[in-house]
Amino acid sequence: MDISRLGIHESVRAVFPPDVLADRLRDVAPATVVVDDDVSDVDAVVTFEHADSFVGLAWVHCIRAGYDAFPLDTYRDAGTALTNSTGIHGAAVGETALGMMLSLARRLHDYRDAQREREWAPPTWDTPFTLRDERLTVVGLGTLGRGIARCADGIGMRVDGVRRTPTRTPHARTVYTPDRLHDAVADARFVAVATPLTEATRRLVDAGVFEAMRDDAYLVNVARGPVVDEDALIDALAAGELAGAGLDVFREEPLPASSPLWDLDDVLVTPHASSLHRAYHEDIADLVRANLRNRNAGADLLNRVV
């Protein structure tokens, strides 16, 4: 079945205006329209989130890499193809993670706080440090993790990684398997979490991992909130068992105003924004365009999940 009518679901507004993506795709799908949950007039939809009305369409494309919110078995039973946007976020997420590490090491967040108070506040002499030669362990070496490793290696950090298959990975010196996670984090100044959320990775980073980390180490999470045991993280930070954290994702989003994470000095909170950049819609358009052509030619879809 050819895709002649393509819908851009309103939920993509969480990342960019739906109209800008629709405009980018009219060269390959002239009947591209912005839709709400009523998708009766389209064959396929590009979306940020799942809606029950999508089940039964020929194809659904998720503009995120993570697809844990989509009912895969339901799509499979209905014959609805599902694709995701893995592979396009490495540069943005890598730079965000590096920015968090730079801020924590160079105390940029302290200076910004002082600026708001119009205070001239040089740091204690032994507080700032450089990232060069510091050890970073990246948990998950897919697109996001490789993006982090590339950025960190580029400024001279010593990068190791964790992945299910311990094959050599560019920019990583040693690759550990998940059963050696405690060994992998034991001597790292930074641990960056970049693994997808699955049943195997839910609360993967728990109290035991924090106990294995150095007490002057920092956690960076740009994966999914539930990959980290948030209560255990808060306990470790409050007890001084970790130096701080850079967190882009959380167990509950938006992060509740009551969360202690807002008030911890050496915790950076960002609103699940690590992958965002002004050309995001262009990257999505390129991927959707390629898959429209593949679908209409009977070829395999890129990034097919179901």
Side-chain angles (χ1 to χ4, degrees), residues 129-136 152-153 155-159 173 187 189 214:
F129 59 96
T130 63
L131 293 184
R132 184 173 182 82
D133 292 327
E134 292 289 351
R135 182 167 177 256
L136 163 68
D153 185 36
I155 64 167
M157 297 186 78
R158 297 179 296 121
V159 183
R173 305 175 310 164
D187 191 42
R189 189 66 179 271
R214 295 162 44 171

Side-chain angles (χ1 to χ4, degrees), residues 55-140:
V55 178
L57 291 175
W59 170 41
V60 174
H61 179 78
C62 172
I63 67 168
R64 295 180 285 172
Y67 52 84
D68 46 276
F70 289 75
L72 304 188
D73 290 340
T74 301
Y75 277 54
R76 188 177 294 110
D77 292 344
T80 297
L82 174 67
T83 56
N84 72 342
S85 298
T86 191
I88 68 170
H89 305 104
V93 171
E95 291 177 14
T96 300
L98 178 61
M100 287 178 165
M101 292 188 288
L102 282 166
S103 183
L104 292 164
R106 304 304 306 145
R107 314 309 301 168
L108 303 183
H109 57 299
D110 287 343
Y111 307 147
R112 181 66 180 188
D113 290 346
Q115 178 182 344
R116 289 197 181 95
E117 301 300 323
R118 299 181 183 273
E119 294 179 357
W120 187 263
T124 305
W125 72 272
D126 58 351
T127 302
F129 59 96
T130 63
L131 293 184
R132 184 173 182 82
D133 292 327
E134 292 289 351
R135 182 167 177 256
L136 163 68
T137 294
V138 182
V139 182

Side-chain angles (χ1 to χ4, degrees), residues 138-277:
V138 182
V139 182
L141 287 172
T143 299
L144 305 188
R146 292 195 302 271
I148 297 169
R150 181 173 59 251
C151 288
D153 185 36
I155 64 167
M157 297 186 78
R158 297 179 296 121
V159 183
D160 297 318
V162 178
R163 68 181 305 174
R164 286 177 298 176
T165 305
T167 53
R168 288 187 59 84
T169 301
H171 308 289
R173 305 175 310 164
T174 303
V175 179
Y176 297 81
T177 48
D179 60 303
R180 296 190 60 202
L181 178 58
H182 289 194
D183 294 333
V185 305
D187 191 42
R189 189 66 179 271
F190 289 90
V191 174
V193 185
T195 186
L197 175 61
T198 66
E199 285 308 308
T201 63
R202 190 176 296 274
R203 291 187 294 278
L204 174 68
V205 182
D206 58 10
V209 173
F210 300 136
E211 290 173 5
M213 291 171 62
R214 295 162 44 171
D215 60 9
D216 64 348
Y218 297 86
L219 179 77
V220 173
N221 188 7
V222 290
R224 284 292 186 270
V227 174
V228 173
D229 184 332
E230 196 165 289
D231 292 333
L233 172 61
I234 291 169
D235 289 344
L237 290 165
E241 296 170 1
L242 293 179
L247 306 173
D248 186 54
V249 291
F250 304 90
R251 178 177 58 202
E252 180 181 349
E253 296 179 0
L255 183 65
S258 59
S259 173
L261 293 170
W262 289 109
D263 298 318
L264 295 171
D265 287 341
D266 282 336
V267 172
L268 305 179
V269 170
T270 56
H272 202 147
S274 64
S275 64
L276 303 186
H277 63 104

Side-chain angles (χ1 to χ4, degrees), residues 37-58:
D37 288 356
D38 180 1
V39 292
S40 57
D41 289 334
V42 297
D43 306 313
V45 68
V46 179
T47 185
F48 180 81
E49 60 188 24
H50 165 73
D52 289 342
S53 57
F54 298 166
V55 178
L57 291 175

